[in-house]
Amino acid sequence: MSPVRVDVTGSADPADAWRRYVTRGEWAGWAPHIRGVRPDGSPVRPGQRGVVLGPLGLRLGYQVLARDDRLRRWSWRVGPGPFGVRMEHGVDAHPHGCRVWVDLHLPRPVAASYAPLARAALRGLAG
């Protein structure tokens, strides 16, 4: 299954967008579907586990898989066991600011239903 990419360009400085992308305490500020995250605050790092708090009391466990500050890339697996979803995230420089993106490793119909929510979150991140 090839990933589905959702990307957005915006005026944010790439370094600032990257900092906000990898700082868990910032997520609820730019992603409307995230109500909180536990543990809160500290930057993501490989091996780290936690819980993302969503609407209607939704709680999804996660594990951070990788982080590369030089390339501004990180990945994680969200959700339980065989229903978990791998997502890869990145920030690239763009002539007018940055391009932020997520690669969703989901079947295309499921990715298509999640893409508008992901796009809204990325708009908040990209400025």
Side-chain angles (χ1 to χ4, degrees), residues 24-109:
R24 294 173 299 168
E26 300 263 347
W27 294 353
W30 54 264
H33 60 292
I34 295 179
R35 303 291 188 255
V37 63
R38 303 290 180 260
D40 190 9
S42 65
V44 298
R45 63 182 186 279
Q48 187 176 56
R49 293 178 183 269
V51 176
V52 174
L53 309 173
L56 304 173
L58 181 67
R59 299 171 55 89
L60 293 172
Y62 70 83
Q63 180 176 13
V64 177
L65 303 173
R67 176 177 168 171
D68 185 327
D69 290 309
R70 186 179 61 79
L71 294 176
R72 293 190 191 112
R73 308 282 191 263
W74 74 279
S75 63
W76 63 339
R77 185 168 177 79
V78 182
F83 302 106
V85 175
R86 186 167 53 100
M87 290 186 264
E88 298 164 352
H89 302 274
V91 176
D92 299 320
H94 187 269
H96 302 288
C98 68
R99 173 177 285 118
V100 294
W101 52 266
V102 58
D103 285 345
L104 305 169
H105 293 264
L106 287 164
R108 288 211 176 273

